[in-house]
Amino acid sequence: MATDVAVLKHGEVAEKVMNQSNGLGCCKSGPGYATPLDAMSGPKETLLYVTALYSGTGKEKPDYLATVDVDPNSPTYSEVIHRLPVPYLGDELHHSGWNSCSSCHGDPSADRRYLILPSLVSGRIYVFDTKTNPRSPSMHKVVEPEDIISKTGLAYPHTTHCLASGDIMISCLGDKDGNASGNGFLLLDSEFNVKGRWEKPGHSPLFGYDYWYQPRHKTMISTSWGAPAAFTKGFNLQDVSDGFYGRHLHVYSWPEGELRQTLDLGQSGLIPLEIRFLHDPSKDTGFVGCALSSNMVRFFKTDDGSWSHEVAISVEPLKVQNWILPEMPGLITDFLISLDDRFLYFVNWLHGDIRQYNIEDPKNPVLKGQVWVGGLLWKGSSIVAIAEDGNTWQSEVLEVQGNKLRGGPQMIQLSLDGKRLYVTNSLFSAWDKQFYPELLQKGSHMLQIDVDTEHGGLKINPNFFVDFGAEPDGPSLAHEMRYPGGDCTSDIWI
């Protein structure tokens, strides 16, 4: 019975009373920046931390955190300069977050020192010290899955955000057996000890994945990938029909953890993955990328205080031959919003393009830039697209520094000033193997896209190419990217 009580325990989020001037917590002594616009004037990035995997590739090697030099004035520009392997095999490192970010800017005792990196498959959570030596991070602590499961019942950890209280919250996608019904939100304290679940008993979502909170509107909204027992085996369309994938947004009271509303996105919102509010903490709207439907859905607060949604951007499927379906969705797997809330960027992992939209009017996004960096329709592939006139077509195979691009654009990260977009191409090892098996043999790569923030436009930087196919232990899969000082997908303003 003691274990059952612990599983149902609601870890209270302690509220700190911060010294605030102008209501934004800008005492300028805590981590991050007082406002998103202040962050845009932050220092230019020189390092990127990248999760790199051997899990699922057939290589008996541990996953690792790669440090990439992105300083164009450095002799090791566009190279992996440090690798920190984890001590176990089969983790599947995925998304990361900080122990402290701009949500703690008003707290002089807070310090952005540790990068928290959950393992999506093993359930293990690694804590890396990135402050002692930013170019060579070190292992600080490992939170074992047995401890998490025994106290909360949670497994398959995904998104990490720091809280103004000093706690760390991590969304978890299921229970130890891969059932979605066991999903919820894990709370760690500032020493990375398991506190319990964040949501109140009986208030767990239908499915788990990403989340974002907007404290001024006392709201947190989470998204729905699917049951780990299904997606860890690869993608099967029948699993969608059988109810193993989500199509809902879950609206919670913040910070109380009560599920107040569930938004059914229907067929236009199948598999909603990444979610972002606008960075301006006073705004009550944001977007979610719905992968299988290939729609960007806008969510917003209504006059009566409830939340609603509408399709803001649609990516039309391509008619194709020699593929698993007669039509190929774009598969929007990642997106982000510039810190000034002017531009939204997203990827179509299967089609192979990255898009830039002006969202100064969030109700009416305007396409301003598009660049092709991969996809399934390269010349030489058996898959061909069918145009409206019945003719077939394929794309030219692009090269950067003599390297043929492979896979499709997947994770993206934007520089603070909004002028450089970094791109990797691994989604999840089981899905990489299914859709882009070449990645397992030749490895991932990272690109840099130059961004025109005045008139709009995207262009591949020909001087930047990080080849994870040339790693010392063999080709690896590169996924999420983080700057040491925070970025537009890690930091939340209050």
Side-chain angles (χ1 to χ4, degrees):
M1 287 301 294
T3 299
D4 292 339
V5 171
V7 169
L8 295 175
K9 176 185 175 183
H10 172 63
E12 295 295 335
V13 180
E15 290 298 308
K16 288 189 177 181
V17 178
M18 298 184 184
N19 295 320
Q20 296 184 348
S21 57
N22 77 15
L24 292 174
C26 54
C27 67
K28 298 184 178 178
S29 58
Y33 304 88
T35 71
L37 293 181
D38 286 345
M40 293 192 76
S41 300
K44 184 177 179 180
E45 71 279 2
T46 59
L47 298 174
L48 266 176
Y49 300 130
V50 185
T51 52
L53 317 182
Y54 286 115
S55 297
T57 66
K59 301 179 183 69
E60 292 297 309
K61 299 287 184 180
D63 301 342
Y64 60 101
L65 182 69
T67 305
V68 176
D69 187 337
V70 295
D71 180 358
N73 298 315
S74 169
T76 53
Y77 175 61
S78 187
E79 295 180 12
V80 178
I81 59 172
H82 183 263
R83 301 164 184 86
L84 176 59
V86 296
Y88 298 92
L89 299 177
D91 280 317
E92 187 98 27
L93 298 182
H94 204 61
H95 287 200
S96 62
W98 294 103
N99 70 304
S100 185
C101 73
S102 293
S103 66
C104 307
H105 184 73
D107 182 358
S109 69
D111 185 20
R112 191 195 305 264
R113 184 182 189 95
Y114 300 109
L115 185 69
I116 295 96
L117 184 44
S119 306
L120 184 55
V121 171
S122 72
R124 197 169 283 112
I125 298 173
Y126 294 101
V127 181
F128 300 117
D129 179 357
T130 64
K131 188 171 184 178
T132 301
N133 187 344
R135 294 175 68 88
S136 303
S138 58
M139 185 74 68
H140 173 71
K141 185 173 181 176
V142 181
V143 184
E144 294 293 350
E146 293 80 9
D147 188 29
I148 299 169
I149 292 169
S150 66
K151 294 176 180 177
T152 69
L154 296 168
Y156 299 92
H158 188 269
T159 297
T160 301
H161 282 300
C162 69
L163 310 184
S165 64
D167 292 335
I168 296 117
M169 185 164 131
I170 304 175
S171 61
C172 296
L173 278 59
D175 64 14
K176 64 182 178 62
D177 298 317
N179 299 306
S181 58
N183 83 93
F185 303 92
L186 170 69
L187 272 184
L188 303 179
D189 66 19
S190 59
E191 299 298 321
F192 315 108
N193 300 305
V194 177
K195 290 185 69 173
R197 287 181 180 245
W198 171 75
E199 79 277 14
K200 290 188 174 180
H203 288 254
S204 297
L206 300 172
F207 291 93
Y209 188 65
D210 197 21
Y211 73 94
W212 198 278
Y213 61 88
Q214 198 79 321
R216 293 196 199 178
H217 294 279
K218 300 180 179 179
T219 296
M220 185 276 272
I221 303 180
S222 70
T223 64
S224 313
W225 184 4
F231 69 70
T232 55
K233 298 175 183 177
F235 179 71
N236 185 334
L237 189 61
Q238 185 61 43
D239 286 339
V240 178
S241 301
D242 291 344
F244 290 106
Y245 285 91
R247 65 182 201 186
H248 298 84
L249 299 183
H250 306 93
V251 182
Y252 282 87
S253 62
W254 184 266
E256 295 82 10
E258 294 180 358
L259 181 59
R260 295 287 178 82
Q261 190 177 354
T262 299
L263 301 177
D264 187 345
L265 305 183
Q267 293 299 305
S268 64
L270 297 176
I271 312 185
L273 296 180
E274 310 298 332
I275 187 168
R276 326 278 186 216
F277 271 94
L278 295 183
H279 294 290
D280 181 342
S282 70
K283 300 298 183 182
D284 59 0
T285 189
F287 296 86
V288 58
C290 300
L292 188 57
S293 299
S294 297
N295 289 325
M296 291 300 309
V297 170
R298 185 178 77 92
F299 58 87
F300 53 93
K301 185 186 278 189
T302 65
D303 291 340
D304 65 6
S306 65
W307 294 80
S308 189
H309 62 91
E310 64 182 9
V311 174
I313 303 167
S314 292
V315 176
E316 293 299 319
L318 296 175
K319 293 183 179 180
V320 293
Q321 292 177 347
N322 307 320
W323 197 56
I324 58 175
L325 297 171
E327 290 189 336
M328 180 189 293
L331 209 72
I332 299 173
T333 52
D334 194 22
F335 86 97
L336 52 77
I337 297 171
S338 63
L339 287 166
D340 56 7
D341 290 333
R342 288 182 61 217
F343 294 107
L344 181 150
Y345 302 85
F346 70 78
V347 302
N348 287 304
W349 191 54
L350 298 182
H351 288 182
D353 61 313
I354 305 170
R355 299 191 185 190
Q356 175 196 36
Y357 284 82
N358 183 298
I359 57 166
E360 289 176 284
D361 178 1
K363 297 179 182 179
N364 298 289
V366 178
L367 180 64
K368 303 297 289 186
Q370 186 175 21
V371 64
W372 297 83
V373 296
L376 288 171
L377 295 165
W378 290 123
K379 285 187 176 178
S381 166
S382 62
I383 305 169
V384 296
I386 307 171
E388 290 185 4
D389 60 8
N391 292 321
T392 61
W393 61 271
Q394 291 178 310
S395 303
E396 295 290 338
V397 179
L398 297 179
E399 294 188 4
V400 177
Q401 296 183 359
N403 298 281
K404 292 183 178 180
L405 300 188
R406 47 194 183 262
Q410 211 289 110
M411 293 303 295
I412 50 178
Q413 189 55 264
L414 187 66
S415 60
L416 296 181
D417 62 11
K419 296 180 179 180
R420 292 164 302 283
L421 191 69
Y422 296 89
V423 189
T424 57
N425 54 4
S426 168
L427 192 159
F428 178 69
S429 63
W431 290 37
D432 293 346
K433 183 177 182 180
Q434 180 178 0
F435 293 101
Y436 291 109
E438 181 186 38
L439 286 180
L440 276 68
Q441 283 77 48
K442 297 184 178 181
S444 288
H445 52 59
M446 185 196 303
L447 305 175
Q448 185 190 90
I449 309 298
D450 293 328
V451 180
D452 185 339
T453 58
E454 290 189 32
H455 308 101
L458 303 172
K459 184 179 179 181
I460 297 174
N461 180 352
N463 300 315
F464 187 94
F465 185 87
V466 183
D467 188 2
F468 284 88
E471 287 293 88
D473 284 335
S476 64
L477 302 173
H479 191 62
E480 197 197 42
M481 299 159 282
R482 285 270 174 254
Y483 303 128
D487 47 65
C488 67
T489 58
S490 68
D491 283 33
I492 293 175
W493 280 266
I494 62 174

